[in-house]
Amino acid sequence: MDGIPGDSIRKVVVACDAGMGSSVLLAGQLRRELRNLPVTVEHHPIAAIPADADVVLCQLGLAERARAGAPGKVVVGFRLFLGDPAVARVVAAVKQGGVVFGTPGS
């Protein structure tokens, strides 16, 4: 999927591989930022992305694996766990409208 309107997003999944805890922290931050909206934020391993995810956030190096494991979903890759512009764009689209576009494939 190329993009999804922010007002259509109901589930955001933060997917990880390393298990270092940074992605759990990002999921918690997103839950706080989106707490008053009808959006669920979950954390899952990259190999177990749920079928009902609308947007998958993961490190850029994992984006291809996320796309393979979640076909048809918008996959947004980021570089930084805190303060990354790609994550900020997802939050802004959910809160203020706009379209979330996936990170282009390599």
Side-chain angles (χ1 to χ4, degrees), residues 12 14 26-34 41 57 87 91:
V12 175
V14 180
L26 175 58
Q29 173 191 333
L30 290 172
R31 277 187 207 100
R32 285 187 299 279
E33 289 187 55
L34 302 173
V41 178
L57 290 166
V87 175
V91 170

Side-chain angles (χ1 to χ4, degrees), residues 14-97:
V14 180
C16 73
D17 191 36
M20 299 296 291
S22 301
S23 54
V24 173
L25 293 174
L26 175 58
Q29 173 191 333
L30 290 172
R31 277 187 207 100
R32 285 187 299 279
E33 289 187 55
L34 302 173
R35 70 179 164 259
N36 295 323
L37 299 167
V39 177
T40 302
V41 178
E42 296 180 355
H43 174 265
H44 290 277
I46 201 88
I49 298 168
D52 62 344
D54 295 310
V55 174
V56 178
L57 290 166
C58 63
Q59 286 184 298
L60 272 174
L62 298 174
E64 284 302 317
R65 286 180 55 199
R67 273 191 279 283
K73 305 300 179 186
V74 174
V75 175
V76 177
F78 59 85
R79 294 185 193 282
L80 306 169
F81 280 99
L82 299 176
D84 193 282
V87 175
R89 283 191 296 274
V90 171
V91 170
V94 172
K95 285 183 167 182
Q96 302 161 2

